[in-house]
Amino acid sequence: SSKSKERQMIIRAEDKCYIQQNIPSAVELMSGTSVNGVLDILFDFIMEKGFAAPDYEDYNATGRKVQRIYDHIYEDNVLGAEE
């Protein structure tokens, strides 16, 4: 579904920096308008690298960081766009 005017994705500077350094698969999408595409990659990254051993029920430091970035992108683009 293409909207009549696609909005540039809002990503906070420190979050963008973290993604560029740690999640290369999301970098190209960040410059586009596919918020869900970026969120999907962040979700996959958290599932793959974001849980602490030995039982993998709780986030490790990486998981907490990327979850915060996920929340920021969701809040700034999805929730903000609904107003």
Side-chain angles (χ1 to χ4, degrees), residues 8-12 15-16 19-20 23-46 66 69-74 77-78:
Q8 182 65 38
M9 200 177 321
I10 300 163
I11 301 180
R12 301 172 193 194
D15 294 346
K16 188 174 282 193
I19 291 171
Q20 287 167 338
I23 315 176
S25 55
V27 171
E28 193 175 332
L29 283 174
M30 283 196 307
S31 60
T33 56
S34 178
V35 174
N36 287 336
V38 173
L39 293 179
D40 285 347
I41 291 172
L42 296 183
F43 178 83
D44 290 343
F45 184 87
I46 291 168
V66 179
I69 293 172
Y70 183 103
D71 291 344
H72 292 162
I73 294 173
Y74 183 82
N77 294 279
V78 179

